[in-house]
Amino acid sequence: MPNNPLAEIRAGFFAECEELLETLHDSIAALNVEAPDADLINTIFRAVHSIKGGAAAFGYERLVDFAHRYEGVLGGLRTDHSLITESMRLMLMQASDALEDHVESARGATSPPTEGDSILAELQMQLGQVRDQHDQDDFFYQPVALDLSTLGVETAAWQVVFAPQGSLYSNGNEPLFLLRALRTLGATDICCLTEGLDSGLAEFDPMQPALSWRLSLPAEIVEADIREVFEFVDGLCVLTISRQPRPDPWIESATIEVIQPSPEANPAPSPRQKTDTIPIVRVDLERVDRLMNLVGELVINQAMLAQSVADAGIAPNSPVMTGLEAFTKLTREVQDSVMMIRAQPVKPLFLRMSRLVREAAISTGKQIQLITIGEATEVDKTVIERLTDPLTHMIRNAIDHGIEPPAMRLAAGKHACGTITLKAQHRSGRLMIELRDDGAGIDRAKVMRIAISRGLIAGDSPQNENEIDNLLFMPGFSTANSISPLSGRGVGLDVVRLAIHGLGGRVSIQSQPGEGTVFTISLPLTLAVLDGMIVRVADQTLVIPLSSILETAALEPNDVRAIGSGLSVLELRGGFLPLFDLGVELGFRAPIRHDDGGIVLLTRHEDESRSALIVDTIVEQRQVVIKGLHRNYGHIHGISAATILGNGQVALIVDPTDLLSRPPLPPSDMAIAG
C-alpha cells in the first residue's frame, strides 16, 4: 500500500505541536510575574502562533479559532507586561491545557472541547479586550474576500507573492487556508493573478497551477511570522517577500514576473532553522521496535556463536576468536545505539502530571503545587508510556486523600498550599521515581479497620507499620466511602502495583503521620537487554544484573557470624553484611552448611543498603536479552524476567532487591561457625 503524503505531513504537524506545547508549558511555568521576561513572552506567543499557522494549512478551523483568540490575549501581554499576575499566569496555563485538548481533538477528529472558552473570556476581560461579533462567530468560516478595489497603504508595507507549484496540490495543500492565515496577520489586500490563463482554457495544463496571489501586509508585522505561515509548503511554491514603500494600485495589475531566487541568495531563515540545533528525523515507533527485536535476536545469536566456539576448543589467539571478539564488540555498539534511539526524557510524562495536579486542585478546592526533579532523566519510551496510568492514579490519591484542605493545613501549622514532589533518577541501573506529598500521611488505624471489615486480614493478626501500609496494595482494598470524580471509585492501589509489576518493577510506600507519604517506583531502564553475571546455584543457572553487583569474594567460614533465628552476617573489612544463600531463598534446596567455603556476591540495593549472596559457581559475565514472564505468570517474587543463553538454555534473571525484601526462609539446621 503506497504511503499517503498528506497523512505523513499531517503526522509531522502533530509531532511539531507536541514540541510547541512543551515549549509553551515550560515558558509559562518559568514566567516571573514580578519581572516578566520579554523574550519569554515572545516565545509563548510564537508557540501559539506556530500551532495556529500549521492548523490553518490543514483546515482545522476550531483549533485555529481558539489559537487565534489565545494569541490575541498574548498579544495584549506583549504590549503591557504589567498586566501579568500570578492568577493570570495560572489561567494562561489552563488555556494552554485547553489548546492541547484542541490539538488532540483535531488529531482524533473528535468534537472540540469547550472548557477553554471560559478561560479565554476571563483573560480577555482582565485585559479589557472586547471582540466584535464577526471576530467571534464568523472568523475563518467565510470565504476569503478578494477585494480588488483596495489600493494599498500609504506607509511602508510587506508585499508577498505566492505562486503554487504542482507538487503543492498533489500533497493535499490548499492555498485558501494559507490566505486565511495571512489575513489573521493583517493582510489588507489580496489580489489573484491569472496570467496562467492568458493562453486560454484550450491550452491549459490541468497539472500545472494557473493562479498565483499577491498580498500586502502591514509594516509592523515581523517577516519571520509571514514565512512561518508557509512553513508546511516550503519547497512546494515560489515565494517572494519584499518591502514596498508605496505599493502601486493592484487593480491595474494583470501579470507578474516571478523571479526564482538564485543559489547564492541568502533568504532570511525560518524561525525554526537554527544552525546550532541537531537535525531530527521522525521515525515510526513500530520500525524502532522491530529494530530493537532484531538487535535482541542478534545478541542471542552472538551468544550461541560464542558458546559453539568455546565448545569447539578453538585457540584463543586464532583468527576465529579474533573475529568473534570484533563481532561481540560490534553487537554491543549496535545495541547501545538502538537503546539511545528509544531513550527519552521523562519530561513529557511529568508535564502531563502537572496538568493533572492543576485540574485536580481546582476540582477539590485545594491549593497544591507540583515540584518536578530530574525531568531530563532518560528511560525507554515504552516505560514512559506505560507509566502514565499508574502515576495518574497515585497523584489523584495523593491529592484526594493525602493533601489536606487549606483550613486544616493552617490549623496543623502547615502552609495552606500543599506540595507534591515528583522526582526521577537513575540508581543501581534502574529508574527510580519518587512521589512525595506533605499531607496528613496514612491513617493506619483506619486502614486496619477497613482491612479487617473486608476480611483481608484476621482481626487478631499483629501488623507492623510497613505491613499496614502495604495493605493499601491489596486487591479489593479502598478507603473510599463514596464515589468521587477524582479517586474515590473503590478501585484501590492494587491496579498500580499490577501495572508496575507488569513492567518488571516494584513499588513501595513509606508514611509518617502528619508529615506525608512517599511512594517509590523502581523500574528497569530498558525492556530489552542487560549486562548480567551468570551463576550456578543448586544445579540451576541464574542471571544476576551486573548493576546490582559490587564485587565478588571468597566465602571463608571464619567470616560468618550467626545472629540467631537462623540469620547470619558476613564480616568483611571490619563491617557486617546480611548473608543469604541464593539457593535457599529461591527454594531450590534446603539450608546447607558452608564449612568448605564458597563464593559470595556483594549486592547493592536501591536504598543503598548492601547484602551478600552465596552462590556455587560464577560462570561468566554476558549480555543477555530480557524475556518477560509477567504476562504469563504474573509477578514472581525475586525473579524479574528470563533469558535464553548461548546453549539454548532458559535462565531466570534474579532481582536481588525484591528477593531480599522479605525475611529469608528459616533454615532448620544451618550451623555456622561464630
Side-chain angles (χ1 to χ4, degrees), residues 156-173:
W158 291 104
Q159 178 173 286
V160 177
V161 177
F162 165 50
Q165 298 175 345
S167 55
L168 183 141
Y169 293 101
S170 63
N171 284 334
N173 293 286

Side-chain angles (χ1 to χ4, degrees), residues 141-152:
Y141 305 108
Q142 299 297 331
V144 174
L146 303 179
D147 187 2
L148 301 181
S149 62
T150 306
L151 300 181

Side-chain angles (χ1 to χ4, degrees), residues 631-646:
R631 179 175 299 179
N632 296 325
Y633 301 101
H635 176 65
I636 306 174
H637 185 75
I639 302 297
S640 61
T643 188
I644 300 175
L645 300 179

Side-chain angles (χ1 to χ4, degrees), residues 374-434:
E375 293 180 335
T377 304
E378 291 189 340
V379 69
D380 190 279
K381 179 176 175 60
T382 305
V383 175
I384 295 178
E385 293 173 347
R386 295 171 63 181
L387 267 178
T388 301
D389 289 343
L391 271 183
T392 298
H393 195 107
M394 294 166 66
I395 288 182
R396 284 177 172 170
N397 272 277
I399 295 173
D400 204 17
H401 303 300
I403 302 294
E404 313 96 325
M408 187 178 298
R409 290 181 62 87
L410 291 174
K414 298 181 178 180
H415 194 281
C417 180
T419 300
I420 295 178
T421 303
L422 192 57
K423 178 180 180 182
Q425 62 178 328
H426 292 163
R427 187 191 301 168
S428 300
R430 296 178 71 88
L431 171 68
M432 306 294 296
I433 294 182
E434 182 180 279

Side-chain angles (χ1 to χ4, degrees), residues 432-655:
M432 306 294 296
I433 294 182
E434 182 180 279
L435 178 64
R436 179 187 300 269
D437 69 71
D438 64 347
I442 297 176
D443 186 347
R444 295 189 173 96
K446 179 180 179 180
V447 171
M448 283 292 293
R449 290 195 302 269
I450 294 175
I452 293 173
S453 65
R454 298 191 178 184
L456 300 177
I457 60 173
D460 55 351
S461 61
Q463 302 283 332
N464 58 38
E465 292 183 351
N466 290 336
E467 291 172 338
I468 295 175
D469 294 344
N470 285 322
L471 291 174
L472 298 176
F473 295 114
M474 294 188 67
F477 184 92
S478 175
T479 59
N481 297 320
S482 61
I483 295 178
S484 70
L486 190 60
S487 64
R489 301 183 183 275
V491 176
L493 291 173
D494 61 304
V495 294
V496 173
R497 184 179 62 177
L498 289 175
I500 299 302
H501 285 174
L503 287 169
R506 50 185 170 270
V507 57
S508 61
I509 181 173
Q510 294 179 339
S511 181
Q512 290 292 333
E515 297 182 8
T517 304
V518 181
F519 287 89
T520 303
I521 298 175
S522 172
L523 295 166
L525 290 178
T526 171
L527 302 179
V529 180
L530 64 79
D531 290 313
M533 182 78 76
I534 301 178
V535 300
R536 296 281 297 174
V537 175
D539 295 329
Q540 299 291 329
T541 302
L542 304 170
V543 179
I544 301 177
L546 203 61
S547 59
S548 300
I549 300 175
L550 291 174
E551 61 178 295
T552 62
L555 178 64
E556 299 292 340
N558 294 333
D559 295 333
V560 179
R561 300 287 185 270
I563 58 176
S565 301
L567 302 178
S568 57
V569 295
L570 175 68
E571 182 179 2
L572 181 67
R573 293 190 288 271
F576 293 91
L577 298 175
L579 182 63
F580 304 94
D581 187 325
L582 185 56
V584 174
E585 295 298 323
L586 292 174
F588 291 152
R589 65 186 177 201
I592 61 175
R593 299 172 60 93
H594 291 281
D595 293 340
D596 55 348
I599 300 174
V600 292
L601 303 178
L602 276 63
T603 61
R604 177 176 56 193
H605 307 288
E606 291 141 10
D607 59 359
E608 299 301 328
S609 63
R610 302 182 179 187
S611 60
L613 292 175
I614 302 176
V615 299
D616 297 344
T617 307
I618 294 178
V619 180
E620 63 177 332
Q621 175 184 331
R622 178 175 294 179
Q623 194 177 51
V624 298
V625 177
I626 299 174
K627 301 292 184 181
L629 299 173
H630 300 84
R631 179 175 299 179
N632 296 325
Y633 301 101
H635 176 65
I636 306 174
H637 185 75
I639 302 297
S640 61
T643 188
I644 300 175
L645 300 179
N647 57 5
Q649 180 182 0
V650 175
L652 298 177
I653 301 177
V654 179
D655 184 345

Side-chain angles (χ1 to χ4, degrees), residues 3 42 56 79 96 220 305 328 402 409-410 458 469 496 516 544 571 634:
N3 293 332
N42 288 333
T79 305
S96 300
E220 61 268 16
L305 180 60
T328 302
R409 290 181 62 87
L410 291 174
D469 294 344
V496 173
I544 301 177
E571 182 179 2

